[in-house]
Amino acid sequence: MRYYEINPDTFGERWAYGEVYYNCLNFDHSIKPKVCPMCGRDLEGSKWLGPYNIMVNKKKMGDFIFGVPDLFLCSERFYNAYLQADLKGIDEFTEMNLFYRGKKVEAKYYQVSIGYSMKKFAYAKERKEQRKFDKSIPRCPLCMRSGNGAFDNWREIYFDDQIELDIFRIFEKRGRAYCNERFVTFCAENHFTNMVENCYPVKRD
């Protein structure tokens, strides 16, 4: 199975990118979206309460819009196809309101919430035990949120064997998303725009 990092040219010339209206940045700091299952530290920022208003810089919008609060938005066309497909990884879709030059865009787009792969969890528990004897290992060997060690062979762990999700995040690199060739093929066969060209093969160490 081949794996890819989703690494878009966010502010490219071909497709629109999105930004949150400054007066819509309302957060509940008492609610943390996701925490590390090993150490309990926050993985992401506080929960965004809305209003979910996104401004786009041009009318030409692909099936995916990057540059928004959390990785990307997807079109209604992708949303409907994904729900019918046998794919795993997207935990939640939240409908957004899009605006272009102050006018509401009629097309429906959704913020996606992408799940974290748990594949490294057992390995991280072993590393936690080893840390009792080797203090150079990061304090949390899963999310690396504290400590300053290397990435514990993350490429071999996540990408050398079949993973449980088709699109996913990993704990060490929380701001990025990854996918497998099933997800890329799904996007290509359905002719979804602004995704396949942004998927780069993961190089294995």
Side-chain angles (χ1 to χ4, degrees):
M1 180 74 73
R2 293 182 180 177
Y3 292 92
Y4 301 81
E5 179 181 350
I6 301 173
N7 187 16
D9 179 10
T10 300
F11 305 110
E13 295 296 323
R14 187 177 182 188
W15 302 104
Y17 67 85
E19 296 179 352
V20 181
Y21 273 103
Y22 71 92
N23 60 350
C24 296
L25 295 173
N26 303 310
F27 297 93
D28 186 338
H29 299 293
S30 67
I31 302 175
K32 302 298 181 182
K34 292 180 182 176
V35 298
C36 175
M38 276 210 78
C39 69
R41 290 176 180 267
D42 300 337
L43 291 175
E44 301 173 3
S46 302
K47 184 175 178 60
W48 183 25
L49 299 177
Y52 301 120
N53 295 337
I54 304 291
M55 52 183 174
V56 293
N57 70 322
K58 60 182 67 174
K59 288 184 177 180
K60 188 178 180 181
M61 297 180 294
D63 285 292
F64 297 90
I65 297 177
F66 297 95
V68 289
D70 190 16
L71 299 177
F72 56 82
L73 306 183
C74 72
S75 66
E76 184 177 26
R77 197 166 76 90
F78 173 85
Y79 168 78
N80 290 331
Y82 182 89
L83 294 182
Q84 299 298 317
D86 183 27
L87 294 174
K88 298 177 181 179
I90 299 179
D91 296 332
E92 184 180 5
F93 294 89
T94 303
E95 187 173 346
M96 300 283 116
N97 304 308
L98 268 58
F99 295 85
Y100 174 70
R101 294 184 176 178
K103 294 184 179 180
K104 194 173 188 302
V105 176
E106 293 303 320
K108 288 185 178 181
Y109 277 79
Y110 301 83
Q111 176 72 68
V112 300
S113 175
I114 299 174
Y116 286 80
S117 169
M118 292 296 292
K119 187 173 181 181
K120 190 181 174 184
F121 188 65
Y123 175 82
K125 287 192 290 186
E126 294 176 10
R127 295 288 282 181
K128 187 175 181 181
E129 290 299 312
Q130 291 178 35
R131 193 180 185 279
K132 294 177 181 178
F133 308 99
D134 182 359
K135 299 301 181 182
S136 67
I137 298 174
R139 195 172 303 167
C140 180
L142 184 61
C143 73
M144 308 283 176
R145 196 59 187 265
S146 55
N148 56 4
F151 276 152
D152 288 344
N153 303 317
W154 66 278
R155 282 198 175 102
E156 287 87 345
I157 294 168
Y158 285 110
F159 305 121
D160 277 357
D161 302 306
Q162 188 168 352
I163 207 165
E164 75 272 26
L165 303 174
D166 297 293
I167 180 170
F168 57 95
R169 289 178 169 179
I170 63 176
F171 291 101
E172 299 96 321
K173 297 191 173 185
R174 296 170 289 280
R176 302 184 186 182
Y178 300 85
C179 64
N180 61 19
E181 60 185 318
R182 291 184 68 232
F183 182 82
V184 173
T185 300
F186 169 73
C187 290
E189 289 179 347
N190 284 278
H191 305 288
F192 295 130
T193 53
N194 203 25
M195 175 55 75
V196 174
E197 63 268 35
N198 292 308
C199 295
Y200 297 88
V202 173
K203 294 181 180 178
R204 300 176 181 176
D205 292 339

PDB file of all heavy atoms in Angstrom, residues 17-27 48 50-57 67-69 96-105:
ATOM      1  N   TYR A  17      -8.656  29.748  -1.949  1.00  0.00           N
ATOM      2  CA  TYR A  17      -8.336  29.334  -0.586  1.00  0.00           C
ATOM      3  C   TYR A  17      -9.259  30.093   0.357  1.00  0.00           C
ATOM      4  O   TYR A  17      -9.899  31.081  -0.017  1.00  0.00           O
ATOM      5  CB  TYR A  17      -6.864  29.548  -0.234  1.00  0.00           C
ATOM      6  CG  TYR A  17      -6.417  30.992  -0.156  1.00  0.00           C
ATOM      7  CD1 TYR A  17      -6.586  31.738   1.014  1.00  0.00           C
ATOM      8  CD2 TYR A  17      -5.789  31.596  -1.237  1.00  0.00           C
ATOM      9  CE1 TYR A  17      -6.168  33.050   1.083  1.00  0.00           C
ATOM     10  CE2 TYR A  17      -5.367  32.914  -1.167  1.00  0.00           C
ATOM     11  CZ  TYR A  17      -5.549  33.640  -0.013  1.00  0.00           C
ATOM     12  OH  TYR A  17      -5.137  34.946   0.063  1.00  0.00           O
ATOM     13  N   GLY A  18      -9.362  29.632   1.593  1.00  0.00           N
ATOM     14  CA  GLY A  18     -10.306  30.223   2.532  1.00  0.00           C
ATOM     15  C   GLY A  18      -9.644  30.700   3.807  1.00  0.00           C
ATOM     16  O   GLY A  18      -8.626  30.161   4.233  1.00  0.00           O
ATOM     17  N   GLU A  19     -10.253  31.702   4.420  1.00  0.00           N
ATOM     18  CA  GLU A  19      -9.822  32.212   5.718  1.00  0.00           C
ATOM     19  C   GLU A  19     -11.057  32.500   6.559  1.00  0.00           C
ATOM     20  O   GLU A  19     -12.122  32.835   6.032  1.00  0.00           O
ATOM     21  CB  GLU A  19      -9.000  33.487   5.560  1.00  0.00           C
ATOM     22  CG  GLU A  19      -7.687  33.302   4.814  1.00  0.00           C
ATOM     23  CD  GLU A  19      -6.918  34.596   4.657  1.00  0.00           C
ATOM     24  OE1 GLU A  19      -7.483  35.662   4.989  1.00  0.00           O
ATOM     25  OE2 GLU A  19      -5.760  34.553   4.211  1.00  0.00           O
ATOM     26  N   VAL A  20     -10.898  32.391   7.869  1.00  0.00           N
ATOM     27  CA  VAL A  20     -12.008  32.667   8.781  1.00  0.00           C
ATOM     28  C   VAL A  20     -12.159  34.175   8.952  1.00  0.00           C
ATOM     29  O   VAL A  20     -11.167  34.895   9.093  1.00  0.00           O
ATOM     30  CB  VAL A  20     -11.763  32.022  10.156  1.00  0.00           C
ATOM     31  CG1 VAL A  20     -12.934  32.293  11.097  1.00  0.00           C
ATOM     32  CG2 VAL A  20     -11.558  30.523  10.001  1.00  0.00           C
ATOM     33  N   TYR A  21     -13.400  34.666   8.942  1.00  0.00           N
ATOM     34  CA  TYR A  21     -13.643  36.073   9.261  1.00  0.00           C
ATOM     35  C   TYR A  21     -13.131  36.358  10.667  1.00  0.00           C
ATOM     36  O   TYR A  21     -13.367  35.586  11.597  1.00  0.00           O
ATOM     37  CB  TYR A  21     -15.127  36.390   9.178  1.00  0.00           C
ATOM     38  CG  TYR A  21     -15.609  36.770   7.790  1.00  0.00           C
ATOM     39  CD1 TYR A  21     -16.316  35.873   6.999  1.00  0.00           C
ATOM     40  CD2 TYR A  21     -15.364  38.039   7.290  1.00  0.00           C
ATOM     41  CE1 TYR A  21     -16.766  36.234   5.726  1.00  0.00           C
ATOM     42  CE2 TYR A  21     -15.814  38.410   6.025  1.00  0.00           C
ATOM     43  CZ  TYR A  21     -16.510  37.501   5.243  1.00  0.00           C
ATOM     44  OH  TYR A  21     -16.940  37.866   3.997  1.00  0.00           O
ATOM     45  N   TYR A  22     -12.447  37.479  10.828  1.00  0.00           N
ATOM     46  CA  TYR A  22     -11.806  37.794  12.117  1.00  0.00           C
ATOM     47  C   TYR A  22     -12.803  37.850  13.262  1.00  0.00           C
ATOM     48  O   TYR A  22     -12.487  37.523  14.402  1.00  0.00           O
ATOM     49  CB  TYR A  22     -11.040  39.126  12.022  1.00  0.00           C
ATOM     50  CG  TYR A  22     -11.914  40.345  11.925  1.00  0.00           C
ATOM     51  CD1 TYR A  22     -12.297  41.042  13.067  1.00  0.00           C
ATOM     52  CD2 TYR A  22     -12.383  40.800  10.688  1.00  0.00           C
ATOM     53  CE1 TYR A  22     -13.115  42.157  12.994  1.00  0.00           C
ATOM     54  CE2 TYR A  22     -13.200  41.902  10.610  1.00  0.00           C
ATOM     55  CZ  TYR A  22     -13.561  42.586  11.758  1.00  0.00           C
ATOM     56  OH  TYR A  22     -14.376  43.671  11.672  1.00  0.00           O
ATOM     57  N   ASN A  23     -14.035  38.273  12.981  1.00  0.00           N
ATOM     58  CA  ASN A  23     -15.032  38.400  14.058  1.00  0.00           C
ATOM     59  C   ASN A  23     -15.760  37.090  14.346  1.00  0.00           C
ATOM     60  O   ASN A  23     -16.713  37.060  15.127  1.00  0.00           O
ATOM     61  CB  ASN A  23     -16.050  39.488  13.721  1.00  0.00           C
ATOM     62  CG  ASN A  23     -16.812  39.212  12.433  1.00  0.00           C
ATOM     63  OD1 ASN A  23     -16.459  38.307  11.691  1.00  0.00           O
ATOM     64  ND2 ASN A  23     -17.841  39.999  12.162  1.00  0.00           N
ATOM     65  N   CYS A  24     -15.294  36.002  13.719  1.00  0.00           N
ATOM     66  CA  CYS A  24     -15.911  34.689  13.952  1.00  0.00           C
ATOM     67  C   CYS A  24     -15.005  33.772  14.768  1.00  0.00           C
ATOM     68  O   CYS A  24     -15.309  32.599  14.940  1.00  0.00           O
ATOM     69  CB  CYS A  24     -16.238  34.013  12.613  1.00  0.00           C
ATOM     70  SG  CYS A  24     -17.451  34.900  11.633  1.00  0.00           S
ATOM     71  N   LEU A  25     -13.911  34.321  15.258  1.00  0.00           N
ATOM     72  CA  LEU A  25     -12.949  33.492  16.000  1.00  0.00           C
ATOM     73  C   LEU A  25     -13.342  33.415  17.464  1.00  0.00           C
ATOM     74  O   LEU A  25     -12.708  34.013  18.347  1.00  0.00           O
ATOM     75  CB  LEU A  25     -11.540  34.062  15.833  1.00  0.00           C
ATOM     76  CG  LEU A  25     -10.987  34.003  14.400  1.00  0.00           C
ATOM     77  CD1 LEU A  25      -9.670  34.741  14.304  1.00  0.00           C
ATOM     78  CD2 LEU A  25     -10.819  32.554  13.960  1.00  0.00           C
ATOM     79  N   ASN A  26     -14.410  32.679  17.722  1.00  0.00           N
ATOM     80  CA  ASN A  26     -14.900  32.489  19.084  1.00  0.00           C
ATOM     81  C   ASN A  26     -14.612  31.050  19.515  1.00  0.00           C
ATOM     82  O   ASN A  26     -15.001  30.103  18.842  1.00  0.00           O
ATOM     83  CB  ASN A  26     -16.413  32.750  19.146  1.00  0.00           C
ATOM     84  CG  ASN A  26     -16.770  34.139  18.658  1.00  0.00           C
ATOM     85  OD1 ASN A  26     -16.181  35.122  19.088  1.00  0.00           O
ATOM     86  ND2 ASN A  26     -17.740  34.220  17.753  1.00  0.00           N
ATOM     87  N   PHE A  27     -13.922  30.921  20.644  1.00  0.00           N
ATOM     88  CA  PHE A  27     -13.504  29.601  21.099  1.00  0.00           C
ATOM     89  C   PHE A  27     -13.951  29.351  22.532  1.00  0.00           C
ATOM     90  O   PHE A  27     -14.049  30.283  23.335  1.00  0.00           O
ATOM     91  CB  PHE A  27     -11.978  29.470  21.023  1.00  0.00           C
ATOM     92  CG  PHE A  27     -11.427  29.582  19.634  1.00  0.00           C
ATOM     93  CD1 PHE A  27     -10.999  30.806  19.136  1.00  0.00           C
ATOM     94  CD2 PHE A  27     -11.334  28.473  18.818  1.00  0.00           C
ATOM     95  CE1 PHE A  27     -10.488  30.916  17.858  1.00  0.00           C
ATOM     96  CE2 PHE A  27     -10.825  28.570  17.535  1.00  0.00           C
ATOM     97  CZ  PHE A  27     -10.401  29.795  17.052  1.00  0.00           C
ATOM     98  N   TRP A  48     -13.708  25.528  18.350  1.00  0.00           N
ATOM     99  CA  TRP A  48     -14.258  26.686  17.631  1.00  0.00           C
ATOM    100  C   TRP A  48     -15.781  26.637  17.716  1.00  0.00           C
ATOM    101  O   TRP A  48     -16.413  25.664  17.329  1.00  0.00           O
ATOM    102  CB  TRP A  48     -13.782  26.659  16.180  1.00  0.00           C
ATOM    103  CG  TRP A  48     -14.228  27.832  15.358  1.00  0.00           C
ATOM    104  CD1 TRP A  48     -14.565  29.071  15.803  1.00  0.00           C
ATOM    105  CD2 TRP A  48     -14.382  27.858  13.938  1.00  0.00           C
ATOM    106  NE1 TRP A  48     -14.900  29.877  14.747  1.00  0.00           N
ATOM    107  CE2 TRP A  48     -14.803  29.163  13.589  1.00  0.00           C
ATOM    108  CE3 TRP A  48     -14.193  26.921  12.931  1.00  0.00           C
ATOM    109  CZ2 TRP A  48     -15.045  29.540  12.261  1.00  0.00           C
ATOM    110  CZ3 TRP A  48     -14.430  27.301  11.618  1.00  0.00           C
ATOM    111  CH2 TRP A  48     -14.844  28.590  11.285  1.00  0.00           C
ATOM    112  N   GLY A  50     -17.865  28.987  16.321  1.00  0.00           N
ATOM    113  CA  GLY A  50     -18.530  29.664  15.224  1.00  0.00           C
ATOM    114  C   GLY A  50     -18.778  31.126  15.540  1.00  0.00           C
ATOM    115  O   GLY A  50     -18.295  31.616  16.557  1.00  0.00           O
ATOM    116  N   PRO A  51     -19.555  31.846  14.737  1.00  0.00           N
ATOM    117  CA  PRO A  51     -20.224  31.347  13.527  1.00  0.00           C
ATOM    118  C   PRO A  51     -19.216  30.880  12.477  1.00  0.00           C
ATOM    119  O   PRO A  51     -18.122  31.408  12.380  1.00  0.00           O
ATOM    120  CB  PRO A  51     -21.028  32.556  13.040  1.00  0.00           C
ATOM    121  CG  PRO A  51     -20.327  33.742  13.624  1.00  0.00           C
ATOM    122  CD  PRO A  51     -19.768  33.298  14.926  1.00  0.00           C
ATOM    123  N   TYR A  52     -19.617  29.878  11.704  1.00  0.00           N
ATOM    124  CA  TYR A  52     -18.702  29.209  10.785  1.00  0.00           C
ATOM    125  C   TYR A  52     -18.685  29.930   9.432  1.00  0.00           C
ATOM    126  O   TYR A  52     -19.149  29.401   8.427  1.00  0.00           O
ATOM    127  CB  TYR A  52     -19.108  27.749  10.619  1.00  0.00           C
ATOM    128  CG  TYR A  52     -19.110  26.984  11.921  1.00  0.00           C
ATOM    129  CD1 TYR A  52     -20.276  26.386  12.393  1.00  0.00           C
ATOM    130  CD2 TYR A  52     -17.958  26.875  12.688  1.00  0.00           C
ATOM    131  CE1 TYR A  52     -20.277  25.690  13.595  1.00  0.00           C
ATOM    132  CE2 TYR A  52     -17.955  26.181  13.886  1.00  0.00           C
ATOM    133  CZ  TYR A  52     -19.112  25.591  14.336  1.00  0.00           C
ATOM    134  OH  TYR A  52     -19.108  24.909  15.526  1.00  0.00           O
ATOM    135  N   ASN A  53     -18.157  31.134   9.430  1.00  0.00           N
ATOM    136  CA  ASN A  53     -18.118  31.958   8.228  1.00  0.00           C
ATOM    137  C   ASN A  53     -16.700  31.992   7.668  1.00  0.00           C
ATOM    138  O   ASN A  53     -15.758  32.363   8.359  1.00  0.00           O
ATOM    139  CB  ASN A  53     -18.574  33.385   8.537  1.00  0.00           C
ATOM    140  CG  ASN A  53     -20.039  33.438   8.960  1.00  0.00           C
ATOM    141  OD1 ASN A  53     -20.821  32.532   8.635  1.00  0.00           O
ATOM    142  ND2 ASN A  53     -20.420  34.470   9.666  1.00  0.00           N
ATOM    143  N   ILE A  54     -16.578  31.582   6.403  1.00  0.00           N
ATOM    144  CA  ILE A  54     -15.292  31.513   5.718  1.00  0.00           C
ATOM    145  C   ILE A  54     -15.326  32.423   4.501  1.00  0.00           C
ATOM    146  O   ILE A  54     -16.286  32.398   3.725  1.00  0.00           O
ATOM    147  CB  ILE A  54     -14.993  30.070   5.243  1.00  0.00           C
ATOM    148  CG1 ILE A  54     -15.040  29.088   6.410  1.00  0.00           C
ATOM    149  CG2 ILE A  54     -13.668  30.006   4.511  1.00  0.00           C
ATOM    150  CD1 ILE A  54     -13.934  29.242   7.412  1.00  0.00           C
ATOM    151  N   MET A  55     -14.302  33.237   4.336  1.00  0.00           N
ATOM    152  CA  MET A  55     -14.206  34.058   3.129  1.00  0.00           C
ATOM    153  C   MET A  55     -13.215  33.400   2.174  1.00  0.00           C
ATOM    154  O   MET A  55     -12.132  32.974   2.583  1.00  0.00           O
ATOM    155  CB  MET A  55     -13.775  35.489   3.452  1.00  0.00           C
ATOM    156  CG  MET A  55     -12.538  35.641   4.287  1.00  0.00           C
ATOM    157  SD  MET A  55     -12.239  37.390   4.648  1.00  0.00           S
ATOM    158  CE  MET A  55     -10.835  37.240   5.777  1.00  0.00           C
ATOM    159  N   VAL A  56     -13.600  33.307   0.900  1.00  0.00           N
ATOM    160  CA  VAL A  56     -12.730  32.738  -0.127  1.00  0.00           C
ATOM    161  C   VAL A  56     -12.236  33.863  -1.024  1.00  0.00           C
ATOM    162  O   VAL A  56     -12.880  34.907  -1.162  1.00  0.00           O
ATOM    163  CB  VAL A  56     -13.455  31.658  -0.957  1.00  0.00           C
ATOM    164  CG1 VAL A  56     -13.764  30.447  -0.090  1.00  0.00           C
ATOM    165  CG2 VAL A  56     -14.726  32.206  -1.584  1.00  0.00           C
ATOM    166  N   ASN A  57     -11.070  33.653  -1.624  1.00  0.00           N
ATOM    167  CA  ASN A  57     -10.444  34.740  -2.380  1.00  0.00           C
ATOM    168  C   ASN A  57     -10.817  34.761  -3.850  1.00  0.00           C
ATOM    169  O   ASN A  57     -10.456  35.687  -4.571  1.00  0.00           O
ATOM    170  CB  ASN A  57      -8.917  34.653  -2.247  1.00  0.00           C
ATOM    171  CG  ASN A  57      -8.339  33.465  -2.997  1.00  0.00           C
ATOM    172  OD1 ASN A  57      -8.943  32.383  -3.021  1.00  0.00           O
ATOM    173  ND2 ASN A  57      -7.182  33.643  -3.611  1.00  0.00           N
ATOM    174  N   GLY A  67      -6.324  26.269   3.518  1.00  0.00           N
ATOM    175  CA  GLY A  67      -6.068  27.557   4.134  1.00  0.00           C
ATOM    176  C   GLY A  67      -7.030  27.928   5.240  1.00  0.00           C
ATOM    177  O   GLY A  67      -6.962  29.007   5.807  1.00  0.00           O
ATOM    178  N   VAL A  68      -7.947  27.036   5.573  1.00  0.00           N
ATOM    179  CA  VAL A  68      -8.978  27.292   6.581  1.00  0.00           C
ATOM    180  C   VAL A  68      -8.497  26.807   7.958  1.00  0.00           C
ATOM    181  O   VAL A  68      -7.391  26.307   8.071  1.00  0.00           O
ATOM    182  CB  VAL A  68     -10.298  26.615   6.178  1.00  0.00           C
ATOM    183  CG1 VAL A  68     -10.912  27.334   5.000  1.00  0.00           C
ATOM    184  CG2 VAL A  68     -10.070  25.167   5.808  1.00  0.00           C
ATOM    185  N   PRO A  69      -9.316  26.936   9.005  1.00  0.00           N
ATOM    186  CA  PRO A  69      -8.813  26.667  10.363  1.00  0.00           C
ATOM    187  C   PRO A  69      -8.178  25.300  10.566  1.00  0.00           C
ATOM    188  O   PRO A  69      -7.174  25.191  11.269  1.00  0.00           O
ATOM    189  CB  PRO A  69     -10.068  26.807  11.232  1.00  0.00           C
ATOM    190  CG  PRO A  69     -10.966  27.678  10.469  1.00  0.00           C
ATOM    191  CD  PRO A  69     -10.708  27.375   9.026  1.00  0.00           C
ATOM    192  N   MET A  96     -20.062  24.782   6.673  1.00  0.00           N
ATOM    193  CA  MET A  96     -19.544  26.141   6.762  1.00  0.00           C
ATOM    194  C   MET A  96     -20.383  27.092   5.905  1.00  0.00           C
ATOM    195  O   MET A  96     -21.095  26.668   5.001  1.00  0.00           O
ATOM    196  CB  MET A  96     -18.095  26.193   6.263  1.00  0.00           C
ATOM    197  CG  MET A  96     -17.107  25.329   7.028  1.00  0.00           C
ATOM    198  SD  MET A  96     -16.620  26.029   8.616  1.00  0.00           S
ATOM    199  CE  MET A  96     -17.295  24.776   9.725  1.00  0.00           C
ATOM    200  N   ASN A  97     -20.283  28.367   6.182  1.00  0.00           N
ATOM    201  CA  ASN A  97     -20.888  29.411   5.357  1.00  0.00           C
ATOM    202  C   ASN A  97     -19.770  30.114   4.597  1.00  0.00           C
ATOM    203  O   ASN A  97     -18.870  30.692   5.205  1.00  0.00           O
ATOM    204  CB  ASN A  97     -21.626  30.435   6.216  1.00  0.00           C
ATOM    205  CG  ASN A  97     -22.679  29.797   7.105  1.00  0.00           C
ATOM    206  OD1 ASN A  97     -23.519  29.039   6.629  1.00  0.00           O
ATOM    207  ND2 ASN A  97     -22.625  30.084   8.389  1.00  0.00           N
ATOM    208  N   LEU A  98     -19.825  30.069   3.270  1.00  0.00           N
ATOM    209  CA  LEU A  98     -18.786  30.676   2.455  1.00  0.00           C
ATOM    210  C   LEU A  98     -19.237  32.023   1.898  1.00  0.00           C
ATOM    211  O   LEU A  98     -20.405  32.182   1.511  1.00  0.00           O
ATOM    212  CB  LEU A  98     -18.396  29.749   1.300  1.00  0.00           C
ATOM    213  CG  LEU A  98     -17.232  28.784   1.565  1.00  0.00           C
ATOM    214  CD1 LEU A  98     -17.522  27.887   2.764  1.00  0.00           C
ATOM    215  CD2 LEU A  98     -16.905  27.963   0.336  1.00  0.00           C
ATOM    216  N   PHE A  99     -18.286  32.962   1.852  1.00  0.00           N
ATOM    217  CA  PHE A  99     -18.559  34.292   1.332  1.00  0.00           C
ATOM    218  C   PHE A  99     -17.461  34.685   0.355  1.00  0.00           C
ATOM    219  O   PHE A  99     -16.285  34.403   0.582  1.00  0.00           O
ATOM    220  CB  PHE A  99     -18.619  35.320   2.467  1.00  0.00           C
ATOM    221  CG  PHE A  99     -19.766  35.109   3.416  1.00  0.00           C
ATOM    222  CD1 PHE A  99     -19.651  34.217   4.477  1.00  0.00           C
ATOM    223  CD2 PHE A  99     -20.961  35.788   3.248  1.00  0.00           C
ATOM    224  CE1 PHE A  99     -20.705  34.011   5.354  1.00  0.00           C
ATOM    225  CE2 PHE A  99     -22.020  35.597   4.119  1.00  0.00           C
ATOM    226  CZ  PHE A  99     -21.893  34.705   5.180  1.00  0.00           C
ATOM    227  N   TYR A 100     -17.880  35.337  -0.723  1.00  0.00           N
ATOM    228  CA  TYR A 100     -16.927  35.898  -1.678  1.00  0.00           C
ATOM    229  C   TYR A 100     -17.245  37.371  -1.859  1.00  0.00           C
ATOM    230  O   TYR A 100     -18.350  37.734  -2.263  1.00  0.00           O
ATOM    231  CB  TYR A 100     -17.013  35.168  -3.022  1.00  0.00           C
ATOM    232  CG  TYR A 100     -16.155  35.778  -4.108  1.00  0.00           C
ATOM    233  CD1 TYR A 100     -14.767  35.698  -4.047  1.00  0.00           C
ATOM    234  CD2 TYR A 100     -16.733  36.449  -5.189  1.00  0.00           C
ATOM    235  CE1 TYR A 100     -13.972  36.262  -5.028  1.00  0.00           C
ATOM    236  CE2 TYR A 100     -15.949  37.016  -6.180  1.00  0.00           C
ATOM    237  CZ  TYR A 100     -14.568  36.921  -6.091  1.00  0.00           C
ATOM    238  OH  TYR A 100     -13.785  37.493  -7.058  1.00  0.00           O
ATOM    239  N   ARG A 101     -16.296  38.220  -1.486  1.00  0.00           N
ATOM    240  CA  ARG A 101     -16.462  39.674  -1.537  1.00  0.00           C
ATOM    241  C   ARG A 101     -17.738  40.121  -0.809  1.00  0.00           C
ATOM    242  O   ARG A 101     -18.495  40.969  -1.291  1.00  0.00           O
ATOM    243  CB  ARG A 101     -16.450  40.173  -2.978  1.00  0.00           C
ATOM    244  CG  ARG A 101     -15.113  39.971  -3.669  1.00  0.00           C
ATOM    245  CD  ARG A 101     -15.077  40.555  -5.060  1.00  0.00           C
ATOM    246  NE  ARG A 101     -13.743  40.423  -5.644  1.00  0.00           N
ATOM    247  CZ  ARG A 101     -13.426  40.818  -6.882  1.00  0.00           C
ATOM    248  NH1 ARG A 101     -14.363  41.375  -7.659  1.00  0.00           N
ATOM    249  NH2 ARG A 101     -12.196  40.675  -7.331  1.00  0.00           N
ATOM    250  N   GLY A 102     -17.962  39.509   0.336  1.00  0.00           N
ATOM    251  CA  GLY A 102     -19.077  39.901   1.184  1.00  0.00           C
ATOM    252  C   GLY A 102     -20.408  39.261   0.858  1.00  0.00           C
ATOM    253  O   GLY A 102     -21.369  39.412   1.614  1.00  0.00           O
ATOM    254  N   LYS A 103     -20.501  38.523  -0.246  1.00  0.00           N
ATOM    255  CA  LYS A 103     -21.756  37.887  -0.641  1.00  0.00           C
ATOM    256  C   LYS A 103     -21.675  36.386  -0.368  1.00  0.00           C
ATOM    257  O   LYS A 103     -20.670  35.748  -0.667  1.00  0.00           O
ATOM    258  CB  LYS A 103     -22.048  38.143  -2.123  1.00  0.00           C
ATOM    259  CG  LYS A 103     -22.309  39.607  -2.434  1.00  0.00           C
ATOM    260  CD  LYS A 103     -22.685  39.787  -3.897  1.00  0.00           C
ATOM    261  CE  LYS A 103     -22.972  41.251  -4.214  1.00  0.00           C
ATOM    262  NZ  LYS A 103     -23.337  41.423  -5.649  1.00  0.00           N
ATOM    263  N   LYS A 104     -22.764  35.840   0.167  1.00  0.00           N
ATOM    264  CA  LYS A 104     -22.785  34.424   0.509  1.00  0.00           C
ATOM    265  C   LYS A 104     -22.755  33.557  -0.742  1.00  0.00           C
ATOM    266  O   LYS A 104     -23.465  33.806  -1.714  1.00  0.00           O
ATOM    267  CB  LYS A 104     -24.025  34.096   1.340  1.00  0.00           C
ATOM    268  CG  LYS A 104     -23.967  32.733   2.022  1.00  0.00           C
ATOM    269  CD  LYS A 104     -25.150  32.537   2.961  1.00  0.00           C
ATOM    270  CE  LYS A 104     -24.992  31.271   3.785  1.00  0.00           C
ATOM    271  NZ  LYS A 104     -24.845  30.067   2.984  1.00  0.00           N
ATOM    272  N   VAL A 105     -21.935  32.534  -0.693  1.00  0.00           N
ATOM    273  CA  VAL A 105     -21.838  31.557  -1.776  1.00  0.00           C
ATOM    274  C   VAL A 105     -22.860  30.462  -1.520  1.00  0.00           C
ATOM    275  O   VAL A 105     -22.977  29.945  -0.405  1.00  0.00           O
ATOM    276  CB  VAL A 105     -20.416  30.961  -1.829  1.00  0.00           C
ATOM    277  CG1 VAL A 105     -20.320  29.874  -2.894  1.00  0.00           C
ATOM    278  CG2 VAL A 105     -19.393  32.056  -2.078  1.00  0.00           C
TER     279      VAL A 105
END
